[in-house]
Amino acid sequence: MRLQPAESNGPAEPEPVREGPETKLKEFKQHSTTLPFGQPTSLSSIGGPTYVTAQTLIQQVAYTLSDRLWTYSPETFDLDVAVKDWFAEGSDNVYGYPTNVESMQIRQGAASIALGYIFSKDFDLKKRYVPQSILASSSTLQYLRAALDQLSLLYSVASPFVAHIAAIDYAGASSQLVTDYISALSLAEELGLGIICSFSAYEAQHMALLSTLLASIIPTIHIYDGVSIGRETTRVIDVLDQTGLHNTYKAIQHEISTPGKKNADLDTKVLRLLNAFNGELGTQYRVFEYHGHATPDSVLVVFGTAESSLASQVALSLERDGAKVGVLNVRIYRPFIEEEFLKILPESVRTIGVLGQVNDQQAVSDGSVRSNLYGDVVAAITFSDKSATPPAVVDVKYARETVWTPVSVAAAFQLLVEKPILQPKTELTESEAPSPLQLLDPSSVQQYTFWDIDTSESANAPAALGQALATDSANNVTTKTAYDNLIQGGVFRSDIRKSKKTIEAPYSIDAADVVYVGGESLLQTFDILNSLKAGGKVILKLPSVKDDELEKKLPVKFRNALAAKNAKLYILDPPAIEIVANDLAQELYLTELAFLRVALPNLEKTGLQKLASVNGTIETFEELAKVLDNALRLIETPEPWATEELEGTPPSLLKDIYASSFVAYDKIEAEPPTYLKDWKTAAKGLIFKEAYGTKPALRPDVNVKTYTVHVQENRRLTPPSYNRNIFHIEFDLGNSGLTYDIGEALGIHAENDEVEVEEFIKFYKLDPQEVVEVPNRENPQVLENRTVYQALMQNVDIFGRPPKRFYESLAEFADNPDERKELTTLGGPTKEGNQEFKRRAEVDTITYADVLLEFPSAHPSFHDIVRIVSPMKRREYSIASCQKVTPNSVALMIVVVGWVDPQGRDRFGQATRFLNKLRVGASVTVSVKPSVMKLPPKSTQPLIMAGLGTGLAPFRAFVQYRAWEKAQGKDIGSVLLYMGSRHQREEYCYGEEWEAYQDAGVITLLGRAFSRDQPQKIYIQDRMRQTMNDIIQAYLKEEGAFYLCGPTWPVPDVTNVLEDAIAREAKTLGKKVTPRTEIEKLKDQLRYVLEVY
């Protein structure tokens, strides 16, 4: 890594936050990884100190100096995204007109149109000396070969021609994107083309300009790493604007075109061009550039962007440690000027290693295959008389899929020397000198890495943070992102580096100060802590995970590494903040803020302003900052994590993301067009079923297997005078074919209230019989034909609670300015809007229908209502019966959800009201859903069950099944049933059944906890603790299974009882155990099962 002093005029920065009454929400969206921070860049803004990518600079040179640009960019490569924008905007080149940009198909004969234009009879001869350019990837060169071959033969009468080639291809049958140089090297050798390589983003503009100038002598390829370095956003100090490019181009052209300089040989012309170039710009570029020991024994010859940059840095680092090695980087490869190569090669060299790229690993292993560069180096050494004993030349081949790191480059040097070049650390070297491969100074460079799923709400956070950090002109920031769309449906890694000096680091961060992990699933695939420095910090997003559940979520290897590196672990729980839970879009801002507090706590106040200058509003960030502690907590690393041993074979984890794409996988297809507009279209579909693909369905609005069942019993279990209506409902299965297993849930496809639907139709002035098109309840991509009445009864959740996005969508339909403003506020991120939305959702319990009634000027059509109102979802309830016992019926235990809103209106849960009102004989559409509540494999294993309220439902099925087994003559294990409710008189649901089963010897222990029937409250965990010996016997000695069903609040207390039982039994046996670890083992054995809500 090179650290160069920065000239702090500052980059082109986002506009600062302005004070004033209006705070406009800034949305941050990444448009392309080839653009700086993913943001569009105007042609006129490129110049001076600025944040750019190499790809943007190359496009700037090509557009500025070319008459025409032909682009051959595979989909998602975005090699031409900037020039297409500039052409569309009408931006002029230096000749006073927009450069014509033609995006071409990638196929055989692809460049024929460019050839035809250059040699056309109609070609404007005034443009004879104006460059023509191509933007393409190395994977497309095979399709351009024929045209380039003809061009090279006719070049004496052609315009200057330069091809800017991003070295990108896919690795054979693999999906990995690789840096491919061999396609360009082979083509240049065969056709006699010039070829120049950029070593970094800092010289990409210069090399693009040099290549364009060389094109006046020979058709030229400018090649650069298009996979990683070409897409890295970084700050370049000395960027030439369009005027600077033009003046430099003209001055150098004038210098090399003077009389007496045109008739020299090709090598001389190239050297004169390079001298003129350096003279004009004050640079020191050479055809070959040496770095390392002054008198090396071994030298590595290198071609390629990352290869050259990294090899020179490693060589200098090794040289400081006393290793007599060096690197010779090839900048201008064609023509290969042997005299220059021999001139710069140190005389002391005894071994030359040629780091040469070959196609694949098979070619690396094949001794008959040689790299292109090896042949040129051998020829130069063989025919040289520089030394009586020429150095040995070794072909150090590598496959295209090789990803270079400091360690792998050092390994290449090691092949050339006998002694180890990396000396083991000693106390002296550790205290007084950095490691030989520590290419950056950790005291001056801060490094941050983000790992996330590409569909994450916070996927844009790294780019936004990078741009926010870049607003400080005293700092230099680099960012880059890699995507792998084949892992977990799409993941990405983003690296951010920050320093007071310019950074050149062409490799992934290997010692991050802070690592952000966007989900626990990533820990199962990647060795994320491998790239964290000792003492670093980790932010792990784990929604709704409590501390006592954390250890189960973290793999053993992750816990070991966390303790070994003495790292700090922060848990980010976005739903813990209410405004984030209600509006997922806020998660982006929360993630940025959490990173700021963990990584740069001293800069949080100014950091909020910087973040607000990029996205969101200052009010949004300040509001979130006040409550951030609710969602961000520091976890104390338990000592046992350092010594935990992994059972079985350690998992093989990836240490990095190997890019398979430059964009996130697009999982969202375009919304299908609406074909159905009236009843005539529906009629055609019914008459001509085959032509229209019409399929009849019992309930077309659901895409799971459904059944029609009929109510055979609906009785209330609590007294009518009691304020909680818990009822038992049983369905006759008839000939529906429905079957279910113990512990499964029944999905109820409920309907809205008929009276309320009719009132809404009347208020909204709808035709209930009009045929409309509505999205499927479970799959919005599936469309059905329904009447308006059917849609409102079964599809559209018109009486559900609207999210923020509904207010935002509805605002577009409001004709009244005041109503539009209020709706926009409710749907926006402001503090006022958030508070009002929260009141409406939690206090007033407003529905979609209420909002449409409240804002009459916002009157979307019914087709639009279907689009912006969420579809109804099925509600699932644990089955409270066993089909072995009641083969023709299925039962549920349900509590009616009801309340009174501030206006005095009775409100109800949609599904529970629907079920409660059903009369015997009514038909209902249902489906079956599997559950985690499963019986243990052996009938003799005890059951310990704890149910609160309607959480008893699955245990009724469990007990029925054990009773059936006992009736069959089978031996059954003990059954311990603990139940909790408020009052025995009102809520002892199924009490007579439980007591009958106890009398029959099915239930062994009945632990009843009625919390409010005595002065001191008694809960379910209290009854469990009172019967600890029974639990130890059934759960631990007889290997029973424990189940808890109901609300979440008793989980910690109930688990503590089980942990105490484990500790007591272990003490009795003289064993030393960790109860929490034992609980985790029981979970894995399905002997500790929770179904809580």
Side-chain angles (χ1 to χ4, degrees), residues 487-736:
I487 293 180
Q488 298 185 16
V491 298
F492 72 89
R493 168 180 174 161
S494 292
D495 284 356
I496 301 176
R497 288 181 168 102
K498 179 173 76 73
S499 176
K500 299 293 183 184
K501 299 178 180 180
T502 300
I503 307 168
E504 186 179 331
Y507 55 93
S508 296
I509 289 174
D510 54 10
D513 296 273
V514 179
V515 170
Y516 171 85
V517 186
E520 63 179 290
S521 64
L522 294 166
L523 304 179
Q524 309 295 334
T525 304
F526 297 100
D527 184 8
I528 289 175
L529 296 191
N530 181 66
S531 60
L532 179 73
K533 76 174 186 180
K537 301 175 182 178
V538 181
I539 305 172
L540 175 60
K541 187 177 84 170
L542 279 180
S544 306
V545 172
K546 298 181 179 178
D547 288 354
D548 61 351
E549 302 170 335
L550 182 60
E551 191 168 294
K552 174 65 176 176
K553 298 288 185 180
L554 305 180
V556 173
K557 188 172 181 179
F558 179 85
R559 301 200 296 266
N560 290 161
L562 197 73
K565 292 203 171 189
N566 194 27
K568 292 183 178 180
L569 175 62
Y570 294 81
I571 298 299
L572 181 63
D573 183 6
I577 295 180
E578 198 164 6
I579 58 175
V580 179
N582 292 330
D583 183 7
L584 294 179
Q586 300 281 330
E587 189 176 310
L588 170 64
Y589 311 133
L590 180 69
T591 302
E592 295 170 15
L593 186 58
F595 168 84
L596 189 65
R597 181 164 295 182
V598 172
L600 302 164
N602 296 330
L603 302 178
E604 182 171 331
K605 186 174 181 180
T606 58
L608 295 183
Q609 294 282 347
K610 295 180 186 298
L611 288 173
S613 73
V614 174
N615 63 173
T617 65
I618 188 61
E619 292 84 3
T620 299
F621 284 108
E622 288 177 344
E623 191 70 21
L624 286 172
K626 294 176 184 177
V627 294
L628 179 59
D629 288 340
N630 296 342
L632 184 67
R633 64 186 191 273
L634 176 64
I635 301 298
E636 183 177 347
T637 304
E639 290 185 8
W641 283 12
T643 56
E644 284 183 288
E645 294 185 1
L646 181 67
E647 296 180 2
T649 305
S652 178
L653 301 178
L654 299 173
K655 296 187 183 300
D656 202 353
I657 282 180
Y658 301 102
S660 65
S661 180
F662 298 119
V663 296
Y665 175 56
D666 187 3
K667 306 173 185 68
I668 303 175
E669 297 181 0
E671 184 177 334
T674 299
Y675 297 108
L676 182 65
K677 293 300 181 184
D678 54 34
W679 66 269
K680 298 176 184 178
T681 309
K684 291 177 183 178
L686 293 172
I687 296 171
F688 308 107
K689 294 181 180 179
E690 291 186 6
Y692 283 84
T694 304
K695 295 180 181 179
L698 170 66
R699 279 287 295 270
D701 55 306
V702 296
N703 64 351
V704 295
K705 185 171 178 56
T706 56
Y707 309 86
T708 297
V709 297
H710 296 83
V711 179
Q712 74 175 25
E713 182 181 6
N714 190 344
R715 61 184 171 89
R716 181 165 176 155
L717 299 176
T718 54
S721 59
Y722 189 54
N723 60 3
R724 297 189 79 222
N725 179 4
I726 302 175
F727 65 98
H728 170 94
I729 187 167
E730 201 159 323
F731 301 101
D732 177 17
L733 303 182
N735 60 358
S736 66

Side-chain angles (χ1 to χ4, degrees), residues 822-1018:
E822 186 173 355
L823 286 167
T824 301
T825 300
L826 287 167
T830 64
K831 178 179 179 180
E832 177 189 358
N834 288 333
Q835 290 177 341
E836 177 62 14
F837 172 79
K838 180 179 178 181
R839 183 188 65 79
R840 286 168 164 267
E842 299 179 4
V843 180
D844 295 344
T845 59
I846 295 294
T847 68
Y848 289 101
D850 292 332
V851 177
L852 291 169
L853 177 65
E854 181 182 358
F855 298 95
S857 81
H859 196 88
S861 68
F862 190 74
H863 285 281
D864 286 317
I865 286 179
V866 168
R867 180 173 59 83
I868 65 177
V869 175
S870 300
M872 293 165 61
K873 299 292 184 182
R874 68 178 181 272
R875 303 297 195 274
E876 286 140 359
Y877 301 93
S878 296
I879 294 175
S881 59
C882 168
Q883 200 163 18
K884 294 284 189 184
V885 178
T886 58
N888 298 316
S889 66
V890 59
L892 302 176
M893 177 190 186
I894 295 172
V895 59
V896 174
V897 178
W899 68 97
V900 178
D901 71 11
Q903 298 182 37
R905 296 176 296 184
D906 289 326
R907 297 286 203 183
F908 299 95
Q910 184 249 358
T912 58
R913 177 166 69 166
F914 167 75
L915 289 170
N916 186 50
K917 291 172 63 178
L918 291 176
R919 297 186 178 183
V920 173
S923 62
V924 182
T925 302
V926 299
S927 55
V928 177
K929 182 186 178 184
S931 170
V932 296
M933 304 288 282
K934 299 183 183 299
L935 286 169
K938 298 178 182 178
S939 299
T940 53
Q941 286 182 266
L943 305 179
I944 304 96
M945 301 172 289
L948 283 80
T950 55
L952 282 172
F955 302 141
R956 184 173 183 262
F958 281 23
V959 173
Q960 284 185 356
Y961 184 76
R962 280 291 166 92
W964 176 82
E965 286 185 310
K966 185 177 176 66
Q968 303 301 309
K970 294 183 179 181
D971 292 333
I972 62 171
S974 56
V975 176
L976 285 62
L977 177 63
Y978 298 91
M979 61 180 65
S981 58
R982 299 175 185 176
H983 304 285
Q984 180 173 0
R985 181 176 179 180
E986 288 84 7
E987 291 188 60
Y988 189 25
C989 299
Y990 300 124
E992 293 181 359
E993 286 187 30
W994 305 132
E995 292 174 4
Y997 283 125
Q998 189 175 31
D999 292 340
V1002 177
I1003 293 180
T1004 311
L1005 185 152
L1006 194 58
R1008 294 164 290 195
F1010 301 105
S1011 60
R1012 302 182 186 181
D1013 278 354
Q1014 58 285 314
Q1016 75 282 6
K1017 292 185 178 180
I1018 297 177

Side-chain angles (χ1 to χ4, degrees), residues 394-409:
V394 181
D395 197 2
V396 184
K397 296 182 291 184
Y398 68 96
R400 297 186 305 164
E401 54 264 37
T402 302
V403 177
W404 291 104
T405 66
V407 172
S408 60
V409 171

